Amino acid sequence: MTMATITVPEPVPSAAEDAERLFKACQGWGTDEKEIIAVLAHRDATQRKQIRLAYEEHHHENLIKRLEKELSGDFERAVYRWIFDPIEREAILANIAVSKKFDYQVIIEIACVNSPKELLAVKEAYHARYKHSLEEDVALHTVGELRQLLISLVSTYRYGGDEIDVNVAKLEAKTLQDAINLQEFNHGEVIRILSTRSKAQLCATFTCYKDEYGISITKALATDSPNEFAHALRTAVRCIVAPHKYFVKVLQRAVSKVPDEDALTRVVVMRAEKDLKVIKEMFYQRTNVTLEHAVGKETSGDYKSFLLALIGN
Amino acid sequence: MTMATITVPEPVPSAAEDAERLFKACQGWGTDEKEIIAVLAHRDATQRKQIRLAYEEHHHENLIKRLEKELSGDFERAVYRWIFDPIEREAILANIAVSKKFDYQVIIEIACVNSPKELLAVKEAYHARYKHSLEEDVALHTVGELRQLLISLVSTYRYGGDEIDVNVAKLEAKTLQDAINLQEFNHGEVIRILSTRSKAQLCATFTCYKDEYGISITKALATDSPNEFAHALRTAVRCIVAPHKYFVKVLQRAVSKVPDEDALTRVVVMRAEKDLKVIKEMFYQRTNVTLEHAVGKETSGDYKSFLLALIGN
């Protein structure tokens, strides 16, 4: 938990006590949001699960459903996303991303930031929850080359080891360069390389690319004209080679003049228990503003308090 | 084990005794192939593994390597394929299929006959053994639309449940019919449906297809002109909806006038511990010849004795 930003009290109260505090916070006319934050924002995934079980046992009611009734707006959405354990949460985030407003960026994040085994666990949680596969839902909302890229990224079960083949790296850096030269981002070879190679191999290939062509692959993929497919490719590359840097950029955009609460909530809840500390430091190095300050400026009320608690303020 | 054809003696000797018998069978000038068959063809996967471990422990030598030295030809290949446990064997068979002589039929079999969880286990065994993914090797040996189909079938992690959606089945039967009408077998939708839908859903879709268009999808996919892609599609459909029937056809072809020992060995070793009894019965119903008779006629020597022992003669 060293790179996590959430703080858990020592000693931590029992799940039954926490469930009782939440039950009381939801009683009567007003809801005690501060109390909900004080409990939930300071418990890790295992503890939150125990609290949900204790709540259900003592009050014969689903805690998540109850909180959905009591809370509203951005705060409700943030608590709802936070309360699940990481794998189930990503299955839910993926499902939200393939619902009404299709958001391919989230799909790429989940497919490419996670390790092969984590992605698999997310897909299993998706099966269990929605009774069909994530691939099916991605296919439903996309067409053409973007569909092919997304399905390939979601489907693949990459090799997770560290072994790399330098010759393959050189060869495939050239293949990528050929496609980029021709502005054929949708070339079958590009999708094949990005979706089947191990992350270690891809990092080696992108390093070769930079050495050979004097420009990073992400810069080379940047086009003047808006090109959704090239943007999706770049997102995938960045999620694979530099996820922290990628999340810093998402956060920067999320707290910009056109704020994006969904993205802000997503990154904070997804990374708070994992590596938000690293992302926070990189955010500061890059912007000279602390993440707490930036988030505090763009948000308000219980939503703000909750996010700041997760960020470890 | 009720649908298996192999027979295991009761009580089964200890792994140490079996290892000793195999050690003696490999001593001296000649190898005692009959003894090797008597032991190995009558032990299940767990027992074979115990024997390998006992052999290694007592003789500081790898049993598989030793047998490769002692045996030769079709018999050696059959023993080599048989001795592994089913998941590891399929990883090896897949690797053989993407080596020198590329054989997409085997890839489709492994991708489509196995349950989603079994396929995943095969892919994990492939990672562990070859230090890269099956997807990468498939990509290396294929191009164009066949590559896209094969990678999609190998990559996918289908939903494994029984729930189906009748409306989706109707809609996608129509989508398939449209592609078949236009002879556009390589249509993106066809690959998408075949590679992302659950097997239960696909069976429902193919049933709708037959009800609506009066012809089975496999018949509709049969073309007069040789078309590798359409053939691959048909193989996938048959492996998904009727694997036993599919294996009967593979066996029929393997013992025909142009015999195919690789296919014969593959189907026998892959299914002997699973469902070869069912396949045997279907083979007889279809050809009026017992599988034992057909195999006995086309094979000879130790290879013949070994296969017949696995078939449960």
Side-chain angles (χ1 to χ4, degrees), chain B residues 92-111:
Chain B
I92 294 168
L93 287 170
N95 186 254
I96 295 170
V98 294
S99 305
K100 293 164 229 161
K101 213 182 85 189
F102 182 71
D103 187 345
Y104 68 80
Q105 190 180 331
V106 178
I107 300 299
I108 295 174
E109 268 175 27
I110 290 172

Side-chain angles (χ1 to χ4, degrees), chain A residues 26-266:
Chain A
C26 293
Q27 293 303 102
W29 276 92
T31 307
D32 188 347
E33 284 88 358
K34 281 187 186 44
E35 185 74 353
I36 291 173
I37 296 171
V39 176
L40 286 180
H42 297 282
R43 300 293 184 273
D44 67 25
T46 315
Q47 291 157 352
R48 296 194 303 277
K49 186 164 201 172
Q50 294 303 325
I51 295 172
R52 292 205 314 267
L53 292 173
Y55 190 95
E56 180 103 35
E57 195 188 323
H58 291 117
H59 302 291
H60 309 287
E61 185 187 43
N62 184 301
L63 173 60
I64 295 166
K65 292 220 172 97
R66 180 61 190 252
L67 290 171
E68 282 188 290
K69 259 185 243 158
E70 296 290 330
L71 313 176
S72 65
D74 289 327
F75 179 50
E76 178 205 332
R77 279 190 289 276
V79 169
Y80 180 80
R81 279 152 186 66
W82 169 249
I83 203 165
F84 290 98
D85 72 51
I87 295 297
E88 184 135 45
R89 174 195 302 136
E90 298 209 10
I92 293 168
L93 287 170
N95 186 255
I96 294 171
V98 293
S99 303
K100 293 164 228 159
K101 213 181 86 189
F102 182 72
D103 188 345
Y104 69 80
Q105 189 179 330
V106 178
I107 299 299
I108 295 174
E109 269 175 28
I110 290 172
C112 297
V113 172
N114 282 305
S115 73
K117 282 201 190 301
E118 285 167 341
L119 171 59
L120 187 69
V122 172
K123 289 194 282 185
E124 279 181 340
Y126 201 97
H127 286 189
R129 213 176 160 86
Y130 303 109
K131 305 297 171 201
H132 57 262
S133 68
L134 176 55
E135 284 91 330
E136 289 171 276
D137 282 343
V138 170
L140 209 64
H141 291 272
T142 46
V143 288
E145 55 199 26
L146 185 63
R147 173 197 273 182
Q148 205 189 322
L149 174 67
L150 294 180
I151 295 191
S152 300
L153 293 175
V154 167
S155 298
T156 192
Y157 185 53
R158 298 178 198 275
Y159 174 58
D162 285 333
E163 297 86 350
I164 58 154
D165 184 325
V166 177
N167 291 326
V168 166
K170 283 182 185 158
L171 204 70
E172 297 193 342
K174 174 83 172 60
T175 307
L176 293 172
Q177 172 64 2
D178 290 346
I180 290 171
N181 264 346
L182 295 166
Q183 296 275 302
E184 278 187 4
F185 303 120
N186 60 344
H187 197 286
E189 285 291 281
V190 177
I191 295 182
R192 192 263 307 166
I193 293 171
L194 225 61
S195 65
T196 67
R197 294 303 186 189
S198 73
K199 291 189 178 190
Q201 181 65 44
L202 284 173
C203 287
T205 300
F206 300 149
T207 304
C208 278
Y209 187 95
K210 190 161 188 188
D211 290 350
E212 192 67 30
Y213 306 107
I215 179 177
S216 73
I217 178 104
T218 39
K219 288 223 175 78
L221 283 171
T223 51
D224 295 330
S225 52
N227 180 331
E228 196 180 43
F229 186 82
H231 180 256
L233 273 187
R234 264 173 66 210
T235 305
V237 171
R238 290 159 66 209
C239 286
I240 288 168
V241 296
H244 293 139
K245 202 169 145 192
Y246 166 80
F247 282 126
V248 168
K249 288 206 182 171
V250 176
L251 287 172
Q252 264 189 286
R253 226 176 299 126
V255 296
S256 70
K257 272 168 209 140
V258 196
D260 180 347
E261 285 80 9
D262 283 345
L264 175 59
T265 301
R266 185 179 79 242

